[in-house]
Amino acid sequence: MLKSNNPELTSWIETNKESDFPIQNLPYGIAATGDLIFAATRIGDTVIDLSVLADFGFFDRLFIPDLSVFYQKTLNDIAALPKNSRVAIRERLSEIFCSENNELKENEEVRKLALHQSDAVTMLMPVKVGDYTDFYSSKEHATNVGIMFRDPEKALLPNWKHLPVGYHGRASSIVVSGTSIHRPKGQTRPDDSKPPVFGPSSQLDFELEMAFITSAKTEPGDSIPANKAEDAIFGLVLFNDLSARDIQKWEYVPLGPFLSKSFGSVISPWIVTLEALAPFRTQGPEQDPEVLPYLKTTGARNFDIDLQVELKTAAGDSNLVCQSNFKYLYWNMAQQLAHQTVAGCNINPGDMYASGTISGPTPEAFGSMLELSWRGTKPLKMKDGSERKFILDYDTIIMRGQAKNQQLRIGFGDCVTTILPAK
Ligand code: CA
């Protein structure tokens, strides 16, 4: 076990038990105060400027050849460090901030420069996303969609249990929590006996997903074996893959979703490392039929992370509409990355790989309005008396995720977006 994962560790920075950010988390983000933009970590409600720690020599004995990684406006260069360096930074942060250590605790000058209250900073996009893939790895979600749009008898297509289905998505419109998104416009065909029409989507939906961010750079032709794939992962975020179901239904044949999923995807601001999530590893669902050798993984490759979606109406009422868990995914991240690269596609640090909608086995664990309202046939009752089949203008979608056991809670912070009317 890494020293930093000791559940007994406490920090001299105050944290309450319900915080997503105990000293065992130490996620990475990019924060801003005024004109200052900096790489950060967070403990409790305190955001810590890593560039100030680098300025004052706190990372000197880590043997990181180029400390400029701490002075960039994205985390791509920190992501690109070899795994042992990334682990060493996290161990060092744990050391600096644990209750017994006085190096920074008793250095008021540096403390004043490096520590900020979380409500005094704005979180920015943590990485420059070069490429983005969206998988489709929840068996429950793929089955629900198959039942609704095709044939209940053959809900899963023949390839689904043999490979992690995915498509290359749009990186330019991935935004950080707190960014509002305008309702998309596009072509739909509400009546199959009439020509298509153009206008704002009337079936705007969220998709509850998580995404991993890669650390490795590979060359064209290279592939990453499944049993090495986790070393190429920097960390995870919550991912709201906004989708326009009416646009999707008309456009997706034969090449898959295009404009219906290109107008905005929202991520939580803190990248939580696989090291921080290590205590929450768990076995995934049994894979039957047996997968091909290049997709085989051993050990516990799924993670037990509780997930919630809250819908806040314009009236301000909060409605918990979904409770799911990351562990339900049929295909794990190592298999996804092995599959992504097996044809020889090169990857880069900062690339993003979303899981696909994470639905669980019971109706309250369905990860999209499409499934929760069963294609609009079972509207959800909101506390303010209104009903929802899909998302309305000025609704706010809040996703949360936290891995928990009796001693520890590692969370992601909120992933929030408000839907504005079409431009
Ligand atoms: Ca998706």
Side-chain angles (χ1 to χ4, degrees), residues 132 134-135 141 167 207 209 239 241 243 261 354-357:
Y132 153 52
D134 190 19
F135 285 100
H141 173 68
Y167 67 96
E207 290 191 328
E209 307 194 18
F239 193 95
D241 188 24
S243 302
K261 288 166 183 277
S355 57
T357 306

Side-chain angles (χ1 to χ4, degrees), residues 101-120:
N101 190 297
N102 291 331
E103 288 173 78
L104 181 59
K105 185 178 164 184
E106 294 186 350
N107 187 336
E108 201 186 336
E109 181 203 354
V110 182
R111 233 178 43 219
K112 270 190 171 161
L113 289 169
L115 272 48
H116 302 268
Q117 274 304 300
S118 59
D119 52 13

